[in-house]
Amino acid sequence: MRSCSVPGWNRLRAEVLPQLLSDVVCPLKRHLSSSCRRGRSTVPVSNVSPLPSQAQVVICGGGIVGSSVAYHLSKLGWNDVVLLEQGRLAAGTTRLCGGIVSTVKHISVETKMADYSNKLYQRLAQETGVQTGYIQTGSISLAHTQDRLISLRRLVSRLQVMGISCDIISPKQVAQLHPLVNIHDLVGAMHVPGDAVISPPDVVQALVTAAVHNGVQIFEGASVNHVMVEKGHVTGIETDRGHIECEYFVNCAGQWAYELGLMSEEPVTVPLHPCEHFYLVTRPLKQGLRPDTPVIMDLDGRIYVRNWQGGVLSGGFEKNPKPIFTEGRNQLEFQSMLEDWDHYEPLLSALLRRMPSLESTEILQLVNCPESFTADMRCIMGESAAVQNYFVLAGMNSSGSSFAGGAGKYLAEWMVHGYPSVNVWPLDIKRFGRLQSSRTFLRHRVMEVMRRFPENRYVKEQ
C-alpha cells in the first residue's frame, strides 16, 4: 500500500476502517434500503403471482428510469403496461446513487430533461402521498481558473435563456452560502438556486404508486431471457416465469442493458459499459449542515459534495476510472462493492483541500457502486434501428436522478405519439454504429471519456 500525504489519512485508515468492517447494520444501509422495504407494504408488487399472458408494453428494469417510463405511459393513457424487475424495485444503481438533481448540463435537451425531473419530483409527494426526500438546496459550481469561469459564464447565458435562474457569484458569496468551502483559490462560481437533492428509492416508490393506480402491473423477481421478433417487429418476451405477448418492449435495464440487448432474435446494440463509482459519507458534523445547504460541484477538483443527514456525501470522477463486468458477469442486486481507498485517495485529497475542516470528521463508509457510461457521455434513448417497437432508455452516465423524469416523459411521448415533444437527436440510439458495439472498444472508450468528464466544454465539443 502506497503512502499518502493527505492530512488525517492515516487516522482514517487505522481507526475508522476496522469500525466500518464491523458496522454491518450502519445508518447508511438503513437509509438506502428503508424505502425499498416500505414500498412492499404500500405498492401492489408481486413476485409470486403469475405473469399476464399479454400486454401492450413490457418494460424491463425497476429502477428510477424504468419506473419513470411506466409512470409517463400511464399518464398518456397507455395502461396495459407490465414492468418487470429481475430483483427488487430500486435495488440496483438507483439504490446507491447520490440523489443530486442538477440542471447544469452542456446540451439543451439534457437541461430540459433535468428541469422537468426537478419539477416532477417536487410535486410527486403531493400527487402520491409518498415522500421523495426532495429538498431544494441549489448548487454551486466552483471555478479555480479564469478558463473555468468563462465556461461557467457561457453556461449561465444558456441556462438563463431557457428560463433557469442562475448567476455568477463571488468567492465571498460562496462562503456565505456554504460554511465549509475553502475559497482562497477560487475566482468565482455559478449558483443555481433551483437545483435539488432527492432520495432515489423513495422517488421510485412514488412513481410506481402512481403507475399502479393508473393500471400498470409490476412484478419483482422476473428476469427477461429472450425478446421475440417476427418480421422485424417485437412480438413478445420469454421470462423465467413464462411468456408474455407484447407490441412494445422497453429496455431500461441500466448496467444490464447491453446484455439484454443481445437477448433478442435480432440483437439490439446498447453501447454502454459499467464502471466503478465511489463516494463516501461521513457521520454528522459537530455543527451539522442545514438540510438546504447547497450542493458543491468542484469540477476542477473532480468532486461533488452534498449534505447527508448532517454530514456530507462526497464522490467524484477520477482520472483513472475502473471499468468492470467487461465479460458481462455482474450482480443481480448489490449492496456495495469492495472499497478501494487507494483508488479514492486523490478525490479524498481534493475534498480535504476544498473543505479542510472535515479532516477530523469520522467517515461512515466508502460506497462503491457500478454506474453505466456511454461512448460519448450522453444517455441512450429511442427506438432500435434493428427492431421496430424495441425502445431503449439507459446509460445515464451517473446522472440518472437528474435525467430519469424528463427522459421517461420524452420516451413515453415517442412511443405514444410517434415522436417526442423536443428534439432528442443528440441522445438517439441511432447515433451509434457497429463500431461502438464492441465490448473491448467500450471498455477503453469509457476510460477515456470519464477522464474528460469534469473538463471544460468548448464550443466544438458541445
Side-chain angles (χ1 to χ4, degrees):
M1 183 182 302
R2 69 177 187 272
S3 62
C4 177
S5 61
V6 181
W9 173 254
N10 291 331
R11 175 185 180 276
L12 293 175
R13 303 245 358 164
E15 298 180 13
V16 179
L17 293 184
Q19 180 176 351
L20 295 179
L21 295 175
S22 63
D23 193 9
V24 178
V25 189
C26 66
L28 173 65
K29 292 180 180 177
R30 291 198 300 269
H31 171 73
L32 294 173
S33 62
S34 61
S35 301
C36 298
R37 295 195 300 268
R38 288 197 302 271
R40 290 183 177 275
S41 62
T42 59
V43 181
V45 176
S46 175
N47 55 9
V48 293
S49 301
L51 301 181
S53 60
Q54 61 182 21
Q56 183 180 13
V57 182
V58 173
I59 302 170
C60 180
I64 193 170
V65 173
S67 301
S68 176
V69 174
Y71 169 86
H72 286 95
L73 284 174
S74 70
K75 286 290 185 179
L76 292 174
W78 282 23
N79 303 319
D80 187 13
V81 177
V82 171
L83 188 151
L84 304 179
E85 165 55 45
Q86 64 178 346
R88 294 173 297 160
L89 290 176
T93 302
T94 298
R95 186 178 187 179
L96 294 175
C97 66
I100 298 172
V101 183
S102 172
T103 55
V104 182
K105 308 299 177 185
H106 289 272
I107 304 174
S108 295
V109 65
E110 291 183 340
T111 300
K112 291 176 181 178
M113 289 195 305
D115 188 42
Y116 173 83
S117 297
N118 192 322
K119 295 172 182 175
L120 171 66
Y121 304 152
Q122 192 171 12
R123 68 173 187 263
L124 268 180
Q126 183 177 359
E127 178 182 342
T128 65
V130 178
Q131 296 301 315
T132 61
Y134 180 92
I135 304 174
Q136 193 171 80
T137 60
S139 70
I140 302 174
S141 299
L142 307 179
H144 296 200
T145 66
Q146 289 295 332
D147 200 23
R148 174 69 67 182
L149 189 59
I150 291 172
S151 178
L152 293 180
R153 289 186 186 278
R154 290 186 180 129
L155 270 173
V156 166
S157 298
R158 189 170 55 77
L159 293 176
Q160 288 177 342
V161 168
M162 299 177 68
I164 295 172
S165 176
C166 58
D167 206 353
I168 296 295
I169 61 176
S170 67
K172 288 185 178 180
Q173 289 173 299
V174 172
Q176 293 170 357
L177 291 168
H178 200 297
L180 300 183
V181 175
N182 176 11
I183 64 171
H184 80 280
D185 60 343
L186 301 182
V187 297
M190 177 176 67
H191 182 216
V192 184
D195 284 351
V197 296
I198 59 169
S199 170
D202 289 332
V203 169
V204 170
Q205 295 304 313
L207 291 170
V208 299
T209 296
V212 168
H213 178 75
N214 292 331
V216 174
Q217 300 180 72
I218 299 177
F219 297 87
E220 294 181 323
S223 298
V224 175
N225 297 328
H226 188 65
V227 179
M228 294 178 292
V229 178
E230 184 175 332
K231 296 181 179 180
H233 290 72
V234 170
T235 60
I237 63 165
E238 290 287 349
T239 77
D240 56 354
R241 292 168 56 182
H243 169 77
I244 303 177
E245 294 182 2
C246 61
E247 300 176 38
Y248 296 84
F249 179 75
V250 187
N251 181 345
C252 296
Q255 63 167 319
W256 295 275
Y258 182 95
E259 288 80 11
L260 180 60
L262 301 180
M263 296 178 184
S264 171
E265 293 180 2
E266 183 70 34
V268 173
T269 300
V270 185
L272 55 78
H273 198 293
C275 285
E276 297 183 24
H277 181 67
F278 297 88
Y279 65 81
L280 63 78
V281 290
T282 73
R283 294 197 181 276
L285 308 178
K286 293 180 180 179
Q287 295 183 343
L289 296 174
R290 291 164 48 95
D292 60 352
T293 301
V295 174
I296 296 297
M297 305 288 191
D298 189 351
L299 299 177
D300 294 309
R302 310 181 73 88
I303 61 171
Y304 58 84
V305 187
R306 60 158 288 191
N307 173 65
W308 187 80
Q309 297 187 0
V312 300
L313 180 155
S314 178
F317 299 90
E318 60 274 29
K319 293 183 179 181
N320 55 333
K322 297 174 64 177
I324 49 174
F325 306 142
T326 300
E327 295 77 18
R329 298 190 298 270
N330 51 21
Q331 304 172 65
L332 180 64
E333 296 179 15
F334 48 85
Q335 298 288 333
S336 178
M337 297 170 60
L338 293 176
E339 298 173 342
D340 189 341
W341 285 97
D342 289 330
H343 186 77
Y344 185 77
E345 183 272 330
L347 301 181
L348 178 61
S349 299
L351 173 63
L352 293 180
R353 283 194 301 270
R354 186 53 50 211
M355 299 182 178
S357 60
L358 295 178
E359 181 180 335
S360 59
T361 301
E362 186 176 358
I363 295 176
L364 179 62
Q365 188 175 8
L366 179 65
V367 178
N368 175 6
C369 70
E371 291 270 10
S372 56
F373 295 87
T374 63
D376 58 1
M377 294 298 283
R378 301 176 186 173
C379 74
I380 298 172
M381 172 191 296
E383 185 178 18
S384 164
V387 181
Q388 291 189 33
N389 294 349
Y390 189 119
F391 285 81
V392 177
L393 185 55
M396 294 293 131
N397 300 288
S398 199
S399 296
S401 297
S402 297
F403 292 154
K409 175 179 184 289
Y410 296 151
L411 191 76
E413 292 173 345
W414 199 334
M415 296 173 65
V416 174
H417 303 308
Y419 52 87
S421 57
V422 300
N423 177 17
V424 297
W425 170 246
L427 312 178
D428 195 326
I429 189 173
K430 298 182 182 69
R431 72 187 187 272
F432 293 116
R434 291 180 177 269
L435 171 65
Q436 289 84 15
S437 64
S438 163
R439 199 67 163 165
T440 302
F441 165 82
L442 289 170
R443 176 183 177 89
H444 290 283
R445 178 60 178 168
V446 296
M447 293 176 67
E448 176 185 349
V449 295
M450 279 191 67
R451 282 196 296 268
R452 302 187 62 192
F453 184 59
E455 294 180 359
N456 283 324
R457 304 288 183 91
Y458 299 99
V459 175
K460 290 185 179 181
E461 298 177 318
Q462 294 178 18

